[in-house]
Amino acid sequence: MGAKKGQLKDIQKMLGGIEKADKPAAGAKLNAVKSAINSAFEGAQQNLAGGDDSGSDPTFDPTLPGTRPSLGHIHPITQTISHLTEIMGRMGFEVAEGPEVEDPWHNFVALNIPEDHPARDPLDNFYLATAKDPSGKSSVSAGDEGSQLLRSQTSTVQIRVMKEVQPPIRIISLGRVYRPDAPDATHFPMFHQMEGLLVDTNVTMANLKTVLRVFANNYLGEDVEIRFRPSFFPFTEPSVEVDFLWNGTWIEFGGAGMIDPNVFAAVGYDPEKVSGFAFGLGVERLCMRRHGITDIRDLYSGDLRFLKQF
């Protein structure tokens, strides 16, 4: 506001470069701005001098720090995802992402899940009404070419990565998956998975078990007890399920296994030259085990009294 070196004075000097026809309007605009700034400045001076008649507190000190607003904090599931990413990153795994709306090829076919497999049942998936019959009405069919669904597993990301990248591969994918489960203490229709994939030469089940044990010890503690049970998944062979001991009960927290040769063939890899393993872990169950949470529904209740504890 200085008469010689003020910023408003500098702007006034710039009026000389404006077209003659535009100068009157520009000058009027500048005068209006100067008047508003002068009025605000004088009003502030009057308030600080105690000459304000509006009833404001004359003892108010604008130099004192204000009241810090409540900003909340990161949700426990997001905290868990960040922690899992950091642990797996120390073992050389990079993060990969994929869409939550998928097609049957990525969600089932490329994962060696045949059309008659129960996992493809429309009652066990959220198929989207994106196709239309000749009458113009939307229809849903699990076998329709071009049909879409909310992904039921993050394994779809490993297919997308292997289609684009040649081995060696070491990635994890963390994100939401959807299954029409009835909500209870350990199930919810929307939950999060961490998918892991390692593809190279001479990869064995011993590598898989080592990675999962190192992960469990880092996240759940050195004293955690885990076990591997033989199982079956269409996209791995051999397959295992991984449990941890909690309150005297074995709780499943993921499935894993060596990648089936049919999956490699689907993405263009030679199963005679490469091998690998994959695993999928439930993020919510890991979060619940670490923080002593007994009901998964509490994580999505929106109750700040609960969420503020973490």
Side-chain angles (χ1 to χ4, degrees), residues 61-277:
D61 186 349
T63 64
L64 293 176
T67 303
R68 185 180 298 275
S70 177
L71 298 178
H73 63 286
I74 300 175
H75 191 280
I77 291 297
T78 307
Q79 293 181 40
T80 302
I81 288 174
S82 297
H83 196 175
L84 302 185
T85 301
E86 188 269 332
I87 292 173
M88 298 306 297
R90 295 204 302 265
M91 289 190 278
F93 287 81
E94 299 180 352
V95 176
E97 297 182 347
E100 294 180 18
V101 176
E102 272 291 5
D103 57 78
W105 191 87
H106 286 92
N107 204 78
F108 300 121
V109 178
L111 291 168
N112 200 37
I113 301 176
E115 191 165 344
D116 59 352
H117 194 280
R120 298 182 67 163
D121 192 315
L123 297 178
D124 289 330
N125 294 279
F126 288 109
Y127 282 92
L128 306 179
T130 55
K132 290 188 177 181
D133 61 28
S135 67
K137 296 181 179 179
S138 296
S139 62
V140 178
S141 175
D144 283 348
E145 183 178 355
S147 61
Q148 291 183 309
L149 70 157
L150 297 179
R151 67 182 180 187
S152 58
Q153 54 202 351
T154 47
S155 302
T156 58
V157 178
Q158 65 171 266
I159 298 299
R160 291 182 175 275
V161 170
M162 287 192 288
K163 287 285 287 183
E164 299 293 333
V165 181
Q166 290 298 308
I169 296 174
R170 190 178 295 214
I171 60 111
I172 55 171
S173 175
L174 299 104
R176 287 180 289 266
V177 296
Y178 305 86
R179 298 175 188 174
D181 296 331
D184 59 26
T186 57
H187 297 85
F188 206 70
M190 185 280 296
F191 57 100
H192 294 73
Q193 277 188 343
M194 178 175 73
E195 178 81 13
L197 173 70
L198 189 150
V199 181
D200 207 333
T201 55
N202 303 315
V203 179
T204 69
M205 178 67 80
N207 301 129
L208 168 61
K209 293 177 70 175
T210 298
V211 167
L212 291 179
R213 285 191 182 278
V214 170
F215 164 77
N217 289 340
N218 273 271
Y219 185 73
L220 299 174
E222 293 288 342
D223 59 339
V224 64
E225 292 186 58
I226 67 171
R227 70 179 184 183
F228 298 89
R229 291 182 290 111
S231 185
F232 170 76
F233 301 107
F235 37 85
T236 54
E237 180 61 38
S239 304
V240 295
E241 293 192 60
V242 191
D243 307 327
F244 59 75
L245 189 63
W246 187 16
N247 295 332
T249 303
W250 289 102
I251 303 293
E252 176 194 346
F253 73 98
M258 304 304 294
I259 299 174
D260 191 286
N262 290 335
V263 175
F264 281 144
V267 297
Y269 288 3
D270 186 348
E272 298 296 326
K273 295 181 179 179
V274 298
S275 56
F277 63 74

Side-chain angles (χ1 to χ4, degrees), residues 28-83:
K29 184 67 174 178
L30 177 60
N31 289 333
V33 171
K34 288 173 62 177
S35 177
I37 292 176
N38 281 321
S39 296
F41 181 65
E42 292 172 0
Q45 285 184 313
Q46 186 178 12
N47 290 342
L48 291 176
D52 182 24
D53 296 329
S54 63
S56 60
D57 185 0
T59 63
F60 171 70
D61 186 349
T63 64
L64 293 176
T67 303
R68 185 180 298 275
S70 177
L71 298 178
H73 63 286
I74 300 175
H75 191 280
I77 291 297
T78 307
Q79 293 181 40
T80 302
I81 288 174
S82 297
H83 196 175

